[in-house]
Amino acid sequence: MTEKHEFFIKRAIALAAEGMKLAAGRPFGAVVVKDDKILAEAYNQVTSTNDPTAHAEIVAIRKACQKLKNFELRDCTIYTSCEPCPMCLGAIYWSQAKAVYYGCSRKDAAKFNFDDQFIYDEIDKKMDARRVKFVQIAQLDAIAVFKEWEKLKK
């Protein structure tokens, strides 16, 4: 591991510890790096904000995008204290970050009751077999909005 990667991953780990000590949330931290400089950093804030989406990666991605005034992080790298959960993984892909470096694996985290395997399992299930009820309604009305979007894009 190069010195720069070690510096950034250790910062993400330090943020995890900081957030935990402040009782801001669970023990997770993340930094977004561009051109070898920290663009944004965050720790998990789920419990302090009562926001289940306030994972360290999500908060750091939001901050970085605001700073860049862009919803894409194409030239950025994300360092996170733990392998991202499915929600954060989706956000990372949507942001188009170029790489992710992480400390703990999701299996490491599961040993401490941070187990998101059930979400991976749910994704593979058919809609009617999921724990949360999913019902499609008003499909044609919803599609109409996409048709309007297509017209706006031309």
Side-chain angles (χ1 to χ4, degrees):
M1 177 168 43
T2 67
E3 286 182 39
K4 73 176 182 176
H5 293 312
E6 190 167 332
F7 173 80
F8 296 130
I9 194 68
K10 287 191 176 184
R11 180 61 188 147
I13 294 166
L15 285 161
E18 181 182 338
M20 179 185 63
K21 289 174 187 166
L22 292 170
R26 297 173 172 126
F28 300 94
V31 296
V32 178
V33 174
K34 183 175 180 178
D35 300 326
D36 294 331
K37 293 183 182 122
I38 293 176
L39 180 63
E41 59 183 29
Y43 44 72
N44 181 291
Q45 298 172 34
V46 169
T47 57
S48 60
T49 62
N50 295 316
D51 179 353
T53 69
H55 290 201
E57 298 92 335
I58 300 290
V59 175
I61 287 169
R62 288 176 181 158
K63 288 179 177 181
C65 288
Q66 287 172 354
K67 209 175 236 186
L68 292 174
K69 296 179 179 11
N70 194 330
F71 60 90
E72 294 177 345
L73 300 175
R74 287 179 189 253
D75 298 323
C76 298
T77 300
I78 297 173
Y79 294 82
T80 181
S81 63
C82 188
E83 180 181 350
C85 75
M87 176 183 68
C88 295
L89 184 64
I92 289 164
Y93 273 92
W94 283 116
S95 77
Q96 299 182 42
K98 66 180 180 179
V100 176
Y101 292 83
Y102 62 93
C104 297
S105 71
R106 69 185 195 205
K107 290 181 180 177
D108 295 328
K111 293 174 188 171
F112 298 94
N113 292 322
F114 294 105
D115 191 354
D116 52 14
Q117 184 60 45
F118 75 96
I119 298 172
Y120 291 101
D121 295 342
E122 286 288 296
I123 291 169
D124 286 337
K125 292 179 183 176
K126 292 183 179 184
M127 289 286 199
D128 62 354
R130 292 181 177 173
R131 287 185 355 191
V132 173
K133 184 177 180 178
F134 282 79
V135 181
Q136 184 177 27
I137 59 174
Q139 180 184 18
L140 295 178
D141 295 328
I143 289 172
V145 176
F146 281 114
K147 289 179 178 178
E148 287 298 313
W149 172 256
E150 274 187 336
K151 290 178 189 174
L152 291 173
K153 299 300 287 178
K154 291 180 180 178

